[in-house]
Amino acid sequence: MSPIISERAGAGAGADCAVSTHGLTKRYDRDVALDSVDLRVPDCAVYILLGANGAGKSTALKLLMNLEPASGGTARVFGLDAAQHGPEVRAQTGYVPERHDAGYTWMTCGQLLRHASVYYPAWDHAYAARLSDALELKLERKLGRLSKGDTRRVQLTLALAHRPPLLLLDEPTDGLDPVVRKRVLALLAEHLADRPTTVLITTHHVHEVESLADHIGVLRAGRLVAQMARDELQRTVQRYRIELPDGWEAPRDLVVAASRSSRATREVQWTVVGDEREVTDRLTTAGARVRDVSSLPLEEAALALLPVETSR
Amino acid sequence: MLVNLDASDARPLYLQIMDEVRRALVVGTLKPEDPVPSVRELAAELVVNPRTVLQAYRELEHEGVLYVRRGQGTFVAPDVQPSSGEQRALALGVARRALLEARRNGLGAEELVTMIRELAAHEGEPASPTPVATGGTNA
């Protein structure tokens, strides 16, 4: 499938983008984890980077943080080259890593928060206290003895409490129970209301974060196959109910992401990627009758762009 | 005001929020000069992007349904006429969805309207004294 990258989001060199990458590539020996990726995360967007496990989502965030060197291409965060200005980029970023491992295993949670508060000039003590209340942090407990979910809560507090202009959240709700998950997302919504913030969230659970999203990118085996604004995605991936004449064959290059059909009624339902008028015209010209076209909820539209076997 | 969003609804979230505010006005749970929740509160409650709530409020402000009192928040306009404007806008949305569903089932507008009237009569609903969404709607 050829990539569907929005011209609106991809226009120019990404001057008004908080995060932009050009041909960003990462190879581990012979494996290509990221293959010439051009991310464009507009300023103050909530951008969901979607992909199956191993699609390259975490690698992308690590390269943005300059925690690993890129094999090719560049990454810019607020105009700074991440490879040249790693510390400056990290100082402006709240990062929740993929791994549930906050380091400093001998410290208690409370000690780690005090430790972090000294490192970030913008650390908001009142907000940190509010977050640690809302997330019920076990302040007296040593980090090495925390469960996966409890570590996640600490990582989220560390990422948010210095109110950085950029949040890079790698599966932020991983390991959290459903109640806490919802609370975290509500806190994130409040956070965005209080301070303009650009957020890049990676996930394979799009339904959890879709209501916050205004931009979507889809990674497939290291390649960015889609990148666009939310409303554009819903206009580009639509469901068509079609009546087919006997022995009909679909136009060859039609991108059908999902299909259901019933032989008995000669009716098929296709999720097709493309401009509605163009798709309808082509189907009609080919002799099919388009009964109706409907938009999909964001999650379904996004999942249609993932390979079938990993779309859940 | 209770706002419900439907994740399976393909309509943009800000439109859903706008309709929920209209619904609250029409059923009377929201009255002129009532405050509406702040953008921050509603965004956290619905777990949506605050910009989505802001967009819904701005559109409603533009339509004269809401207004902003500086430093105090957003309120329902004093002269809002739920029984005409808002009810009509809501009715239009419901009708549009019903019509789409009818067409999907191979039915025309007339069949749908006739069936709705029959059904309403059967369920004992009196004929509407002030028809809101009629006039020139012959399909």
Side-chain angles (χ1 to χ4, degrees), chain A residues 83-157:
Chain A
Q84 309 273 324
H85 300 276
E88 289 89 339
V89 167
R90 289 193 291 275
Q92 297 187 66
T93 305
Y95 175 52
V96 170
E98 178 186 28
R99 289 182 54 186
H100 293 253
D101 168 4
Y104 302 103
T105 48
W106 66 90
M107 276 193 199
T108 65
C109 290
Q111 283 169 332
L112 179 64
L113 290 183
R114 283 194 294 281
H115 176 80
S117 72
V118 180
Y119 275 87
Y120 294 107
W123 188 268
D124 182 337
H125 289 273
Y127 185 40
R130 208 145 52 76
L131 287 168
S132 83
D133 261 4
L135 297 174
E136 295 164 13
L137 296 192
K138 300 185 171 88
L139 293 173
E140 304 306 321
R141 179 138 346 150
K142 288 226 164 83
L143 290 160
R145 297 191 46 235
L146 291 182
S147 70
K148 209 174 155 185
D150 284 340
T151 308
R152 222 11 154 213
R153 299 176 200 217
V154 177
Q155 291 170 323
L156 282 159
T157 306

Side-chain angles (χ1 to χ4, degrees), chain A residues 21 26 53 64 78 81 84 129 151 179 207 211 232 238 256 258:
Chain A
T21 68
K26 178 68 184 179
N53 288 324
L64 290 174
F78 299 121
D81 186 326
Q84 309 273 324
T151 308
V179 176
H207 62 278
S211 59
E232 253 181 310
Q238 302 205 84
V256 180

Side-chain angles (χ1 to χ4, degrees), chain A residues 43-46 130 182 185-190 192-194 208 210-214 230 234 241 291-298, chain B residues 5-13 16 39-52 100-107:
Chain A
D43 214 10
C44 293
V46 178
R130 208 145 52 76
K182 172 124 199 249
L185 296 172
L187 283 168
L188 200 53
E190 281 179 359
L192 297 176
D194 291 339
E208 284 180 13
E210 63 109 343
S211 59
L212 286 168
D214 48 29
R230 176 194 184 104
Q234 284 181 294
R241 269 161 69 127
R291 256 208 178 283
D292 72 69
V293 184
S294 51
S295 296
L296 296 168
L298 185 73
Chain B
L5 299 182
D6 179 0
S8 64
D9 191 332
R11 285 180 306 152
L13 293 171
Q16 293 191 44
V39 168
R40 185 179 191 274
E41 278 167 5
L42 195 55
E45 186 189 322
L46 301 175
V47 190
V48 298
N49 194 314
R51 292 210 280 189
T52 306
L100 192 69
E101 185 63 21
R103 292 200 176 125
R104 196 167 287 174
N105 287 283
L107 303 169

Side-chain angles (χ1 to χ4, degrees), chain A residues 8 60 97 103 207 225 240 267:
Chain A
R8 213 165 72 190
H207 62 278
V225 296
Y240 297 71
E267 188 178 52

Side-chain angles (χ1 to χ4, degrees), chain A residues 25-102:
Chain A
T25 300
K26 178 68 184 179
R27 280 183 290 271
Y28 295 102
D29 298 324
R30 285 197 157 161
D31 290 338
V32 181
L34 271 190
D35 189 356
S36 199
V37 165
D38 293 340
L39 276 183
R40 298 285 182 276
V41 183
D43 214 10
C44 293
V46 178
Y47 185 118
I48 307 289
L49 186 58
L50 182 66
N53 288 324
K57 307 184 298 282
S58 300
T59 303
L61 297 198
K62 283 181 204 154
L63 297 186
L64 290 174
M65 290 287 283
N66 196 34
L67 300 175
E68 292 183 7
S71 314
T74 55
R76 285 186 173 275
V77 176
F78 299 121
L80 294 171
D81 186 326
Q84 309 273 324
H85 300 276
E88 289 89 339
V89 167
R90 289 193 291 275
Q92 297 187 66
T93 305
Y95 175 52
V96 170
E98 178 186 28
R99 289 182 54 186
H100 293 253
D101 168 4

Side-chain angles (χ1 to χ4, degrees), chain A residues 158-206:
Chain A
L158 288 172
L160 295 175
H162 61 109
R163 295 201 181 270
L166 175 65
L167 291 171
L168 299 178
L169 309 178
D170 200 346
E171 300 278 357
T173 55
D174 193 28
L176 301 178
D177 66 62
V179 176
V180 178
R181 201 176 294 159
K182 172 124 199 249
R183 195 176 304 156
V184 164
L185 296 172
L187 283 168
L188 200 53
E190 281 179 359
H191 188 94
L192 297 176
D194 291 339
R195 188 73 58 95
T197 308
T198 306
V199 191
L200 176 52
I201 302 177
T202 72
T203 188
H204 51 264
H205 299 300
V206 66

